[in-house]
Amino acid sequence: EPGCDATSDGLWYGCVVMSRRWDTTVIPQVMARTAPAEEQLDMAVRKLDACHRLSPGASLRVLGVRSGQATDAPALPVHNSRVCSVVYTPTEGVTWTAHTPVLHCATEPGTCTTTPCECRKSSDKKLELRTP
């Protein structure tokens, strides 16, 4: 089964699908960030669904790329992506295999972290902040 290591790069096929808003208008990927979070999630799931319909027996892998890394070729090696995860396999169904790097807690006033984080040094203390 292909995965997210460099030896699997040649075993994957690209699937490029345009983003559609809730009102069905097609928008460029770079503009998807301007949509509300719920609509962004909807666009992403619809793209995965479209790719799955094109090849129902295949696994799906998602590569996280920065907007400046756009490419005309549908093949993108794993080492060029920031994050890679297999998100669907025919045997397991929906899955997430990405290894998420450690996220360090915010250290300056006015910044926040919405996901669990680790202290950078053993002498640091984690604060629990609550907002009304």
Side-chain angles (χ1 to χ4, degrees):
E1 186 74 24
C4 278
D5 56 348
T7 60
S8 297
D9 274 346
L11 304 175
W12 293 95
Y13 294 97
C15 179
V16 180
V17 180
M18 293 295 290
S19 296
R20 287 189 177 270
R21 300 210 53 170
W22 280 337
D23 65 2
T24 70
T25 57
V26 177
I27 63 169
Q29 181 63 34
V30 71
M31 296 301 294
R33 291 181 266 190
T34 63
E38 297 84 7
E39 192 171 8
Q40 290 181 39
L41 177 60
D42 181 70
M43 285 188 264
V45 172
R46 286 177 188 268
K47 285 175 144 186
L48 289 172
D49 190 47
C51 291
H52 177 65
R53 281 195 312 268
L54 290 172
S55 185
S59 296
L60 294 173
R61 175 175 81 168
V62 174
L63 298 176
V65 295
R66 294 181 291 278
S67 57
Q69 278 184 288
T71 179
D72 292 334
L76 180 68
V78 169
H79 72 274
N80 285 352
S81 66
R82 194 170 42 89
V83 176
C84 176
S85 181
V86 175
V87 295
Y88 174 83
T89 65
T91 55
E92 293 179 44
V94 177
T95 185
W96 182 262
T97 64
H99 297 288
T100 309
V102 172
L103 177 65
H104 295 291
C105 298
T107 57
E108 297 176 17
T111 60
C112 63
T113 308
T114 58
T115 54
C117 59
E118 298 292 327
C119 292
R120 189 176 294 272
K121 297 182 270 182
S122 60
S123 60
D124 290 346
K125 293 190 177 160
K126 206 181 286 192
L127 300 175
E128 273 197 46
L129 303 176
R130 300 192 196 294
T131 56

